[in-house]
Amino acid sequence: MDHAQVHTSMDKMIKMFDTKMAEFQAELNQATRKNPSTIAALNAEFQTFKAFVCNGLNVLRGEVKALARGVDRIEMKSRRKMLLVHGVPEKKNEDIASVVTSSLSAKIKVPNFNVDCLRTCHRMGKVTNNSGKLRPIVLKFTDMAMRDSIWNTKTALKGSKITVSEFLTKSRHSVFMAARDKYGISNCWTRDGFIFIKTPDSAKQRVESLAELLVLPAPTANVATVP
């Protein structure tokens, strides 16, 4: 079960508890009006129990969120030497490492960039019959210097069909896409796994989670969401 499923299960459990407590509270109030002397003590105990459970669930939800964020940070750190390359033509029985290094070298002039700079290299996803959809390629570099050299010179790919992006975790990718929908592509970018956003007040904000994104000021006007 991933982080999102854990959060969903927690929210469902809390919602069910609130519903059942509300139903029981209504029945208890009705019974209290009929037998005030015998129900008053039970009502007081119920309120204490309800407050205890609600507090416990809130604490548990906070701990689950903190744990999920910690796991996400560890996963993102493990991807620090990785990049995604999009738009590289795909062929049957291809030598992916040679294909991707030659494709990038044709546009990005980084000295000594070759297959020996890659620890691992593979395409993501299953092979499909849709020839128009190219699977992205995951690159894991042997050292950070070469990874950063490719990342810092990716603007040389402008005008080609090839793009380079960071290999974000599932949750951070969702936050990044939500940020682009809200503020526009030109106002959102990533660096070292963090999502950076230029808000309407021209401030630069750094976020990791959807909760952090939601508290940022809303755009003052509609922004473009296409390149």
Side-chain angles (χ1 to χ4, degrees):
M1 182 178 291
D2 62 21
H3 313 329
Q5 291 175 315
V6 171
H7 287 309
T8 299
S9 297
M10 282 291 302
D11 290 340
K12 286 182 178 178
M13 182 172 65
I14 292 173
K15 185 177 181 180
M16 181 180 69
F17 172 77
D18 289 340
T19 300
K20 293 299 182 182
M21 289 295 99
E23 292 174 354
F24 185 76
Q25 181 70 67
E27 294 176 1
L28 188 60
N29 291 340
Q30 186 177 5
T32 301
R33 287 192 292 271
K34 296 179 179 179
N35 303 286
S37 59
T38 57
I39 302 298
L42 179 60
N43 186 34
E45 291 181 5
F46 167 74
Q47 296 300 333
T48 300
F49 172 74
K50 179 181 177 181
F52 171 76
V53 173
C54 286
N55 182 65
L57 287 174
N58 286 330
V59 170
L60 180 59
R61 178 162 55 182
E63 291 180 347
V64 168
K65 288 182 177 179
L67 178 61
R69 175 167 289 192
V71 171
D72 181 71
R73 286 174 175 171
I74 292 173
E75 184 179 352
M76 193 64 241
K77 186 176 181 179
S78 72
R79 300 184 181 198
R80 182 68 180 86
K81 290 184 178 181
M82 304 172 80
L83 289 175
L84 279 179
V85 181
H86 311 263
V88 175
E90 185 171 353
K91 295 181 180 179
K92 188 175 181 180
N93 300 323
E94 63 186 351
D95 182 342
I96 301 178
S98 296
V99 169
V100 71
T101 52
S102 61
S103 296
L104 290 176
S105 296
K107 294 290 183 180
I108 297 178
K109 306 303 179 182
V110 176
N112 303 318
F113 176 54
N114 53 56
V115 294
D116 294 331
C117 299
L118 304 178
R119 179 170 297 173
T120 59
C121 177
H122 65 272
R123 288 192 184 269
M124 290 182 63
K126 297 180 180 179
V127 178
T128 65
N129 295 324
N130 182 7
S131 58
K133 185 176 181 180
L134 301 175
R135 293 180 296 162
I137 301 173
V138 181
L139 307 182
K140 185 168 186 178
F141 294 81
T142 55
D143 63 78
M144 282 300 303
M146 182 57 70
R147 182 267 186 199
D148 289 343
S149 293
I150 299 297
W151 178 249
N152 293 332
T153 55
K154 66 184 183 298
T155 53
L157 295 168
K158 188 174 182 179
S160 71
K161 296 181 179 180
I162 300 176
T163 58
V164 175
S165 66
E166 291 192 308
F167 189 24
L168 301 176
T169 61
K170 183 179 179 181
S171 61
R172 293 186 188 224
H173 181 264
S174 297
V175 175
F176 183 48
M177 299 308 293
R180 296 195 343 164
D181 286 341
K182 184 176 181 179
Y183 294 100
I185 293 176
S186 61
N187 293 318
C188 303
W189 64 96
T190 69
R191 188 174 70 246
D192 298 333
F194 292 100
I195 296 95
F196 290 87
I197 302 163
K198 184 179 179 181
T199 52
D201 57 1
S202 296
K204 184 173 72 174
Q205 304 288 346
R206 191 185 79 171
V207 301
E208 293 180 84
S209 66
L210 185 60
E212 293 175 333
L213 174 64
L214 293 176
V215 300
L216 296 182
T220 55
N222 292 332
V223 293
T225 56
V226 295

